[in-house]
Amino acid sequence: MSRLTRSRRGVRPRGDGTGFGVPAFAHPLVAPAEWAELARPGTPLHWAAFDVARGPGSRPDPLYAEAAARVRENGVPLLGLLDAARGRRPFGELVSDASRYLDWYQVDGFYLDKAPNGRAEADDCHWAITTLRALLEREPGRGRSGAGHIVLGHGTHPDPCYAGLADQLVTFAGSWDRYRWSEAPQWTALYPPSRFVHLVHGLPEAHLDDALRIARWQGAATVCLTDRTARDGTDPWEGLPGYWDRAVRLAAGDPVDRPPPTM
């Protein structure tokens, strides 16, 4: 079964400049080594996201503030996680959480977890993103592009109208067993790889290279690959994988233009 994006001219590789987006949700007290890795110079990190309690929490956490500052000093955009609840989150709550992230942690943008997927919710999503960018623009120096960085965490391919709303779309979030057979719709070929993010958990180290090749051929420049799983209700993104160093070396290497093997 094919896992590749097909265009009118057939299958073609579209990914280069592969790097990581890390939803580093674990508390710095629990995962100090992981936060130290995010602040290590030279790591191909496109961004790192975090949350305190499905949002910024009720008061500033000095340990998060210290860890976040070290990551930002390394030039990595730091994103505050906002729960979009598939478009059902009250607008005022979303903006209030965003403001606290900015005041307490000086974030460079936002990761909207559980972003909506349908066309009917796109207008409300656009209005929310416009408001978030306005908040970021009021904070001088807190964003590489002036308007910050916005990631929509759909977890699957949304209606194509979302492609123009945010800086990046998470178009896959799931297990390796699903990812190895996944396909990207043709409309994604109209956009550069920098627009798309793939998050894959339960990935054995032996298949690291295969997963990177799938991401590159499907046109996703940002990935998060981990051997952690979602079994027993655990969050697979609450820390870095056991093979983090090898994943970093592979992602930073020259892209392999041959297609992923049939599995």
Side-chain angles (χ1 to χ4, degrees):
M1 182 182 295
S2 172
R3 299 163 305 283
L4 310 179
T5 301
R6 295 189 179 277
S7 68
R8 293 179 182 178
R9 291 177 296 218
V11 178
R12 61 190 175 92
R14 296 187 291 119
D16 57 10
T18 303
F20 290 93
V22 177
F25 300 153
H27 194 281
L29 188 63
V30 177
E34 282 88 344
W35 279 90
E37 282 296 315
L38 299 183
R40 186 173 66 175
T43 303
L45 272 178
H46 291 171
W47 48 262
F50 78 103
D51 77 312
V52 178
R54 291 305 294 172
S58 58
R59 62 180 60 86
D61 185 320
L63 290 178
Y64 265 118
E66 181 182 351
R70 288 197 297 268
V71 174
R72 293 184 73 249
E73 286 172 1
N74 193 32
V76 176
L78 192 71
L79 312 182
L81 181 140
L82 298 169
D83 187 352
R86 299 301 178 198
R88 296 186 299 272
R89 182 85 184 278
F91 179 76
E93 289 184 9
L94 201 70
V95 173
S96 178
D97 277 359
S99 297
R100 288 199 291 270
Y101 270 121
L102 284 166
D103 290 342
W104 297 344
Y105 304 109
Q106 294 78 53
V107 296
D108 303 294
F110 300 101
Y111 181 107
L112 274 67
D113 194 31
K114 298 181 181 176
N117 299 319
R119 180 174 288 273
E121 296 81 24
D123 286 344
D124 287 344
C125 188
H126 179 251
W127 173 244
I129 291 172
T130 299
T131 304
L132 294 177
R133 290 202 191 279
L135 289 175
L136 288 160
E137 287 173 347
R138 293 174 190 168
E139 305 294 329
R142 294 183 183 177
R144 286 184 165 185
S145 63
H149 192 81
I150 306 290
V151 179
L152 290 177
H154 304 287
T156 188
H157 286 93
D159 187 279
C161 67
Y162 285 89
L165 301 187
D167 298 286
Q168 289 189 303
L169 312 180
V170 178
T171 54
F172 183 91
S175 69
W176 166 243
D177 288 342
R178 286 176 48 215
Y179 190 59
R180 66 196 302 179
W181 304 113
S182 65
E183 296 181 342
Q186 290 190 15
W187 67 262
T188 62
L190 300 175
Y191 299 91
S194 59
R195 190 65 58 89
F196 301 106
V197 182
H198 290 175
L199 311 180
V200 185
H201 63 73
L203 174 68
E205 183 173 1
H207 289 293
L208 260 176
D209 185 66
D210 297 330
L212 286 168
R213 286 157 62 191
I214 291 172
R216 285 164 175 155
W217 273 73
Q218 290 193 7
T222 303
V223 297
C224 183
L225 309 174
T226 182
D227 50 359
R228 295 170 179 260
T229 71
R231 286 194 294 267
D232 302 321
T234 59
D235 187 341
W237 317 119
E238 281 194 344
L240 299 179
Y243 45 63
W244 171 249
D245 287 342
R246 181 164 180 258
V248 166
R249 290 195 300 272
L250 286 174
D254 293 333
V256 178
D257 287 341
R258 66 182 184 277
T262 300
M263 301 177 193

Short mmCIF file of all heavy atoms in Angstrom, two decimals, residues 146-197:
data_model
loop_
_atom_site.label_atom_id
_atom_site.label_comp_id
_atom_site.label_asym_id
_atom_site.label_seq_id
_atom_site.Cartn_x
_atom_site.Cartn_y
_atom_site.Cartn_z
N GLY A 146 7.91 38.75 14.08
CA GLY A 146 7.07 39.87 14.47
C GLY A 146 5.68 39.42 14.84
O GLY A 146 5.13 39.87 15.83
N ALA A 147 5.09 38.53 14.04
CA ALA A 147 3.75 38.02 14.33
C ALA A 147 3.79 36.68 15.03
O ALA A 147 2.76 36.06 15.23
CB ALA A 147 2.96 37.91 13.02
N GLY A 148 4.99 36.23 15.41
CA GLY A 148 5.10 34.97 16.13
C GLY A 148 4.89 33.76 15.23
O GLY A 148 4.85 33.86 14.01
N HIS A 149 4.73 32.61 15.87
CA HIS A 149 4.59 31.35 15.15
C HIS A 149 3.36 30.63 15.68
O HIS A 149 3.24 30.40 16.88
CB HIS A 149 5.84 30.49 15.36
CG HIS A 149 5.93 29.32 14.44
ND1 HIS A 149 6.38 29.42 13.14
CD2 HIS A 149 5.62 28.01 14.63
CE1 HIS A 149 6.35 28.23 12.56
NE2 HIS A 149 5.88 27.35 13.44
N ILE A 150 2.46 30.27 14.78
CA ILE A 150 1.22 29.60 15.15
C ILE A 150 1.17 28.22 14.51
O ILE A 150 1.33 28.09 13.29
CB ILE A 150 -0.03 30.40 14.70
CG1 ILE A 150 0.02 31.83 15.22
CG2 ILE A 150 -1.30 29.68 15.14
CD1 ILE A 150 -0.16 31.97 16.70
N VAL A 151 0.96 27.19 15.33
CA VAL A 151 0.82 25.81 14.85
C VAL A 151 -0.58 25.32 15.18
O VAL A 151 -1.04 25.44 16.33
CB VAL A 151 1.86 24.88 15.51
CG1 VAL A 151 1.68 23.44 15.01
CG2 VAL A 151 3.28 25.36 15.21
N LEU A 152 -1.28 24.79 14.19
CA LEU A 152 -2.59 24.20 14.40
C LEU A 152 -2.45 22.69 14.55
O LEU A 152 -2.05 22.00 13.61
CB LEU A 152 -3.52 24.51 13.23
CG LEU A 152 -3.98 25.97 13.10
CD1 LEU A 152 -4.84 26.15 11.85
CD2 LEU A 152 -4.73 26.42 14.33
N GLY A 153 -2.76 22.18 15.74
CA GLY A 153 -2.59 20.76 16.02
C GLY A 153 -3.81 19.96 15.64
O GLY A 153 -4.51 19.42 16.51
N HIS A 154 -4.08 19.84 14.34
CA HIS A 154 -5.24 19.07 13.89
C HIS A 154 -5.09 17.58 14.22
O HIS A 154 -6.03 16.93 14.67
CB HIS A 154 -5.41 19.20 12.37
CG HIS A 154 -5.52 20.60 11.88
ND1 HIS A 154 -6.65 21.37 12.06
CD2 HIS A 154 -4.64 21.38 11.19
CE1 HIS A 154 -6.48 22.56 11.49
NE2 HIS A 154 -5.27 22.58 10.97
N GLY A 155 -3.91 17.04 13.94
CA GLY A 155 -3.68 15.61 14.12
C GLY A 155 -4.05 14.78 12.92
O GLY A 155 -3.75 13.59 12.86
N THR A 156 -4.70 15.39 11.95
CA THR A 156 -5.08 14.74 10.70
C THR A 156 -5.18 15.82 9.64
O THR A 156 -5.08 17.02 9.95
CB THR A 156 -6.44 14.01 10.86
OG1 THR A 156 -6.69 13.23 9.70
CG2 THR A 156 -7.57 15.00 11.07
N HIS A 157 -5.36 15.43 8.38
CA HIS A 157 -5.45 16.44 7.33
C HIS A 157 -6.79 17.17 7.42
O HIS A 157 -7.84 16.54 7.31
CB HIS A 157 -5.28 15.80 5.95
CG HIS A 157 -3.88 15.39 5.65
ND1 HIS A 157 -3.42 14.12 5.91
CD2 HIS A 157 -2.83 16.09 5.15
CE1 HIS A 157 -2.13 14.06 5.57
NE2 HIS A 157 -1.76 15.23 5.12
N PRO A 158 -6.76 18.48 7.63
CA PRO A 158 -7.99 19.25 7.72
C PRO A 158 -8.49 19.65 6.34
O PRO A 158 -7.89 19.30 5.32
CB PRO A 158 -7.55 20.49 8.51
CG PRO A 158 -6.15 20.73 7.99
CD PRO A 158 -5.56 19.34 7.78
N ASP A 159 -9.58 20.38 6.32
CA ASP A 159 -10.03 20.99 5.07
C ASP A 159 -8.89 21.87 4.54
O ASP A 159 -8.21 22.55 5.32
CB ASP A 159 -11.27 21.84 5.32
CG ASP A 159 -11.88 22.35 4.02
OD1 ASP A 159 -11.38 23.37 3.49
OD2 ASP A 159 -12.85 21.73 3.54
N PRO A 160 -8.66 21.88 3.22
CA PRO A 160 -7.54 22.67 2.67
C PRO A 160 -7.57 24.15 3.02
O PRO A 160 -6.53 24.81 2.98
CB PRO A 160 -7.68 22.46 1.16
CG PRO A 160 -8.40 21.17 1.01
CD PRO A 160 -9.34 21.09 2.18
N CYS A 161 -8.73 24.69 3.39
CA CYS A 161 -8.81 26.12 3.69
C CYS A 161 -7.95 26.51 4.89
O CYS A 161 -7.60 27.69 5.05
CB CYS A 161 -10.26 26.54 3.91
SG CYS A 161 -11.04 25.85 5.40
N TYR A 162 -7.57 25.55 5.74
CA TYR A 162 -6.75 25.87 6.92
C TYR A 162 -5.30 26.14 6.55
O TYR A 162 -4.56 26.72 7.36
CB TYR A 162 -6.81 24.72 7.92
CG TYR A 162 -8.11 24.64 8.68
CD1 TYR A 162 -9.19 23.90 8.20
CD2 TYR A 162 -8.28 25.30 9.90
CE1 TYR A 162 -10.39 23.82 8.88
CE2 TYR A 162 -9.47 25.23 10.59
CZ TYR A 162 -10.53 24.49 10.08
OH TYR A 162 -11.72 24.43 10.77
N ALA A 163 -4.88 25.73 5.38
CA ALA A 163 -3.46 25.86 5.01
C ALA A 163 -3.00 27.31 5.00
O ALA A 163 -1.81 27.58 5.22
CB ALA A 163 -3.21 25.22 3.65
N GLY A 164 -3.90 28.23 4.75
CA GLY A 164 -3.51 29.63 4.71
C GLY A 164 -3.70 30.37 6.01
O GLY A 164 -3.44 31.58 6.09
N LEU A 165 -4.14 29.67 7.07
CA LEU A 165 -4.47 30.36 8.32
C LEU A 165 -3.30 30.45 9.29
O LEU A 165 -3.19 31.42 10.03
CB LEU A 165 -5.63 29.64 9.02
CG LEU A 165 -6.94 29.53 8.25
CD1 LEU A 165 -8.03 28.95 9.16
CD2 LEU A 165 -7.38 30.87 7.69
N ALA A 166 -2.44 29.43 9.33
CA ALA A 166 -1.38 29.36 10.34
C ALA A 166 -0.04 29.12 9.67
O ALA A 166 0.06 28.87 8.46
CB ALA A 166 -1.68 28.25 11.34
N ASP A 167 1.02 29.20 10.46
CA ASP A 167 2.36 28.94 9.94
C ASP A 167 2.57 27.47 9.64
O ASP A 167 3.24 27.11 8.67
CB ASP A 167 3.42 29.42 10.95
CG ASP A 167 3.33 30.91 11.21
OD1 ASP A 167 3.73 31.68 10.33
OD2 ASP A 167 2.84 31.29 12.28
N GLN A 168 2.00 26.60 10.50
CA GLN A 168 2.15 25.16 10.30
C GLN A 168 0.88 24.43 10.71
O GLN A 168 0.15 24.87 11.60
CB GLN A 168 3.32 24.61 11.12
CG GLN A 168 4.70 25.03 10.61
CD GLN A 168 5.80 24.30 11.33
OE1 GLN A 168 5.91 24.34 12.55
NE2 GLN A 168 6.64 23.60 10.57
N LEU A 169 0.65 23.29 10.05
CA LEU A 169 -0.46 22.41 10.38
C LEU A 169 0.10 21.04 10.78
O LEU A 169 0.94 20.49 10.07
CB LEU A 169 -1.39 22.21 9.18
CG LEU A 169 -1.87 23.43 8.39
CD1 LEU A 169 -2.78 22.99 7.26
CD2 LEU A 169 -2.55 24.44 9.28
N VAL A 170 -0.37 20.50 11.90
CA VAL A 170 -0.04 19.13 12.27
C VAL A 170 -1.04 18.24 11.55
O VAL A 170 -2.20 18.13 11.95
CB VAL A 170 -0.11 18.91 13.79
CG1 VAL A 170 0.21 17.46 14.13
CG2 VAL A 170 0.86 19.84 14.51
N THR A 171 -0.60 17.60 10.48
CA THR A 171 -1.51 16.81 9.65
C THR A 171 -1.44 15.31 9.95
O THR A 171 -2.18 14.54 9.35
CB THR A 171 -1.22 17.05 8.16
OG1 THR A 171 0.17 16.82 7.90
CG2 THR A 171 -1.58 18.48 7.78
N PHE A 172 -0.54 14.93 10.84
CA PHE A 172 -0.54 13.56 11.34
C PHE A 172 -0.07 13.58 12.79
O PHE A 172 0.96 14.18 13.12
CB PHE A 172 0.37 12.63 10.55
CG PHE A 172 0.30 11.19 11.04
CD1 PHE A 172 -0.61 10.31 10.49
CD2 PHE A 172 1.09 10.76 12.11
CE1 PHE A 172 -0.73 9.01 10.97
CE2 PHE A 172 0.98 9.47 12.60
CZ PHE A 172 0.06 8.59 12.03
N ALA A 173 -0.83 12.90 13.66
CA ALA A 173 -0.42 12.66 15.04
C ALA A 173 -0.97 11.30 15.43
O ALA A 173 -2.19 11.13 15.57
CB ALA A 173 -0.94 13.75 15.98
N GLY A 174 -0.09 10.34 15.58
CA GLY A 174 -0.55 8.99 15.89
C GLY A 174 0.59 8.01 15.93
O GLY A 174 1.77 8.37 15.98
N SER A 175 0.24 6.73 15.89
CA SER A 175 1.22 5.66 16.07
C SER A 175 1.96 5.34 14.76
O SER A 175 1.48 5.63 13.66
CB SER A 175 0.51 4.40 16.57
OG SER A 175 -0.31 3.87 15.54
N TRP A 176 3.11 4.71 14.93
CA TRP A 176 3.88 4.25 13.79
C TRP A 176 3.10 3.23 12.97
O TRP A 176 3.17 3.22 11.74
CB TRP A 176 5.19 3.65 14.26
CG TRP A 176 5.93 2.85 13.22
CD1 TRP A 176 6.23 1.52 13.27
CD2 TRP A 176 6.47 3.32 11.98
NE1 TRP A 176 6.92 1.13 12.15
CE2 TRP A 176 7.09 2.22 11.33
CE3 TRP A 176 6.50 4.56 11.36
CZ2 TRP A 176 7.72 2.33 10.10
CZ3 TRP A 176 7.13 4.68 10.11
CH2 TRP A 176 7.72 3.57 9.50
N ASP A 177 2.32 2.40 13.60
CA ASP A 177 1.53 1.40 12.87
C ASP A 177 0.58 2.06 11.88
O ASP A 177 0.29 1.50 10.82
CB ASP A 177 0.73 0.54 13.86
CG ASP A 177 1.62 -0.44 14.62
OD1 ASP A 177 2.75 -0.68 14.16
OD2 ASP A 177 1.19 -0.94 15.67
N ARG A 178 0.07 3.25 12.22
CA ARG A 178 -0.77 4.01 11.29
C ARG A 178 0.07 4.80 10.29
O ARG A 178 -0.25 4.88 9.11
CB ARG A 178 -1.68 4.98 12.04
CG ARG A 178 -2.85 4.32 12.78
CD ARG A 178 -3.62 5.38 13.57
NE ARG A 178 -3.90 6.55 12.74
CZ ARG A 178 -3.91 7.80 13.20
NH1 ARG A 178 -3.64 8.05 14.47
NH2 ARG A 178 -4.19 8.80 12.39
N TYR A 179 1.15 5.37 10.78
CA TYR A 179 1.96 6.27 9.93
C TYR A 179 2.59 5.53 8.77
O TYR A 179 2.69 6.07 7.66
CB TYR A 179 3.04 6.93 10.78
CG TYR A 179 3.78 8.05 10.09
CD1 TYR A 179 3.10 9.16 9.60
CD2 TYR A 179 5.17 8.00 9.94
CE1 TYR A 179 3.77 10.19 8.99
CE2 TYR A 179 5.85 9.04 9.32
CZ TYR A 179 5.15 10.14 8.85
OH TYR A 179 5.82 11.17 8.22
N ARG A 180 3.00 4.30 8.98
CA ARG A 180 3.71 3.55 7.94
C ARG A 180 2.82 3.31 6.72
O ARG A 180 3.31 3.04 5.63
CB ARG A 180 4.24 2.23 8.51
CG ARG A 180 3.16 1.25 8.90
CD ARG A 180 3.69 0.13 9.80
NE ARG A 180 4.76 -0.61 9.16
CZ ARG A 180 5.39 -1.64 9.75
NH1 ARG A 180 5.06 -2.00 10.99
NH2 ARG A 180 6.34 -2.29 9.11
N TRP A 181 1.49 3.39 6.89
CA TRP A 181 0.56 3.21 5.77
C TRP A 181 -0.15 4.51 5.40
O TRP A 181 -1.10 4.50 4.61
CB TRP A 181 -0.48 2.14 6.11
CG TRP A 181 0.12 0.83 6.50
CD1 TRP A 181 0.08 0.24 7.72
CD2 TRP A 181 0.88 -0.04 5.65
NE1 TRP A 181 0.77 -0.95 7.70
CE2 TRP A 181 1.28 -1.15 6.44
CE3 TRP A 181 1.28 0.01 4.31
CZ2 TRP A 181 2.04 -2.20 5.93
CZ3 TRP A 181 2.04 -1.04 3.81
CH2 TRP A 181 2.40 -2.12 4.61
N SER A 182 0.26 5.61 5.97
CA SER A 182 -0.47 6.86 5.76
C SER A 182 -0.22 7.43 4.36
O SER A 182 0.76 7.10 3.68
CB SER A 182 -0.04 7.90 6.80
OG SER A 182 1.33 8.25 6.64
N GLU A 183 -1.12 8.29 3.92
CA GLU A 183 -1.01 9.00 2.65
C GLU A 183 -1.35 10.46 2.86
O GLU A 183 -2.11 10.80 3.77
CB GLU A 183 -1.97 8.40 1.62
CG GLU A 183 -1.65 6.96 1.24
CD GLU A 183 -2.61 6.41 0.20
OE1 GLU A 183 -3.70 7.01 0.04
OE2 GLU A 183 -2.28 5.40 -0.43
N ALA A 184 -0.79 11.31 2.05
CA ALA A 184 -1.10 12.74 2.09
C ALA A 184 -1.97 13.09 0.89
O ALA A 184 -1.68 12.65 -0.24
CB ALA A 184 0.18 13.57 2.08
N PRO A 185 -3.03 13.88 1.06
CA PRO A 185 -3.87 14.26 -0.08
C PRO A 185 -3.12 15.17 -1.04
O PRO A 185 -2.15 15.84 -0.67
CB PRO A 185 -5.04 15.00 0.57
CG PRO A 185 -4.52 15.44 1.90
CD PRO A 185 -3.53 14.41 2.34
N GLN A 186 -3.59 15.23 -2.26
CA GLN A 186 -2.87 15.96 -3.30
C GLN A 186 -2.77 17.45 -3.02
O GLN A 186 -1.81 18.10 -3.45
CB GLN A 186 -3.53 15.71 -4.66
CG GLN A 186 -3.34 14.29 -5.18
CD GLN A 186 -3.78 14.14 -6.63
OE1 GLN A 186 -3.98 15.11 -7.34
NE2 GLN A 186 -3.95 12.90 -7.07
N TRP A 187 -3.73 18.03 -2.30
CA TRP A 187 -3.69 19.48 -2.10
C TRP A 187 -2.45 19.91 -1.31
O TRP A 187 -2.01 21.06 -1.43
CB TRP A 187 -4.95 19.99 -1.43
CG TRP A 187 -5.20 19.55 -0.01
CD1 TRP A 187 -6.01 18.54 0.40
CD2 TRP A 187 -4.67 20.15 1.18
NE1 TRP A 187 -6.01 18.45 1.77
CE2 TRP A 187 -5.20 19.43 2.28
CE3 TRP A 187 -3.80 21.20 1.45
CZ2 TRP A 187 -4.88 19.73 3.60
CZ3 TRP A 187 -3.48 21.52 2.76
CH2 TRP A 187 -4.01 20.78 3.82
N THR A 188 -1.86 19.01 -0.51
CA THR A 188 -0.68 19.39 0.27
C THR A 188 0.52 19.69 -0.62
O THR A 188 1.43 20.42 -0.21
CB THR A 188 -0.32 18.28 1.27
OG1 THR A 188 0.02 17.08 0.56
CG2 THR A 188 -1.47 17.99 2.22
N ALA A 189 0.53 19.15 -1.85
CA ALA A 189 1.65 19.40 -2.76
C ALA A 189 1.70 20.86 -3.23
O ALA A 189 2.71 21.28 -3.81
CB ALA A 189 1.56 18.47 -3.97
N LEU A 190 0.66 21.62 -2.98
CA LEU A 190 0.63 23.03 -3.37
C LEU A 190 1.40 23.91 -2.39
O LEU A 190 1.59 25.10 -2.65
CB LEU A 190 -0.82 23.52 -3.46
CG LEU A 190 -1.72 22.81 -4.47
CD1 LEU A 190 -3.15 23.32 -4.35
CD2 LEU A 190 -1.20 23.00 -5.88
N TYR A 191 1.82 23.35 -1.26
CA TYR A 191 2.47 24.12 -0.20
C TYR A 191 3.85 23.55 0.11
O TYR A 191 4.10 22.37 -0.10
CB TYR A 191 1.60 24.09 1.07
CG TYR A 191 0.24 24.71 0.86
CD1 TYR A 191 -0.84 23.93 0.45
CD2 TYR A 191 0.04 26.08 1.02
CE1 TYR A 191 -2.09 24.49 0.23
CE2 TYR A 191 -1.20 26.66 0.80
CZ TYR A 191 -2.26 25.85 0.40
OH TYR A 191 -3.49 26.42 0.18
N PRO A 192 4.74 24.39 0.63
CA PRO A 192 6.10 23.92 0.93
C PRO A 192 6.11 22.99 2.14
O PRO A 192 5.21 23.04 2.99
CB PRO A 192 6.87 25.22 1.21
CG PRO A 192 5.81 26.17 1.70
CD PRO A 192 4.58 25.84 0.90
N PRO A 193 7.13 22.13 2.25
CA PRO A 193 7.23 21.23 3.40
C PRO A 193 7.23 21.95 4.75
O PRO A 193 6.81 21.38 5.76
CB PRO A 193 8.55 20.51 3.17
CG PRO A 193 8.75 20.56 1.69
CD PRO A 193 8.20 21.89 1.26
N SER A 194 7.70 23.20 4.77
CA SER A 194 7.74 23.95 6.02
C SER A 194 6.36 24.20 6.61
O SER A 194 6.24 24.61 7.76
CB SER A 194 8.45 25.28 5.81
OG SER A 194 7.78 26.06 4.82
N ARG A 195 5.31 23.93 5.85
CA ARG A 195 3.94 24.18 6.32
C ARG A 195 3.40 23.02 7.15
O ARG A 195 2.41 23.19 7.87
CB ARG A 195 3.03 24.44 5.12
CG ARG A 195 1.63 24.94 5.47
CD ARG A 195 1.67 26.32 6.11
NE ARG A 195 2.30 27.29 5.27
CZ ARG A 195 1.67 28.03 4.35
NH1 ARG A 195 0.39 27.87 4.16
NH2 ARG A 195 2.33 28.92 3.64
N PHE A 196 4.04 21.83 7.10
CA PHE A 196 3.42 20.64 7.68
C PHE A 196 4.29 19.98 8.76
O PHE A 196 5.52 19.98 8.68
CB PHE A 196 3.11 19.63 6.58
CG PHE A 196 2.17 20.18 5.53
CD1 PHE A 196 2.65 20.52 4.27
CD2 PHE A 196 0.84 20.39 5.82
CE1 PHE A 196 1.80 21.04 3.31
CE2 PHE A 196 -0.02 20.91 4.87
CZ PHE A 196 0.45 21.24 3.61
N VAL A 197 3.58 19.39 9.74
CA VAL A 197 4.20 18.73 10.89
C VAL A 197 3.61 17.34 11.03
O VAL A 197 2.39 17.15 10.92
CB VAL A 197 3.93 19.52 12.19
CG1 VAL A 197 4.63 18.84 13.38
CG2 VAL A 197 4.37 20.97 12.06
#
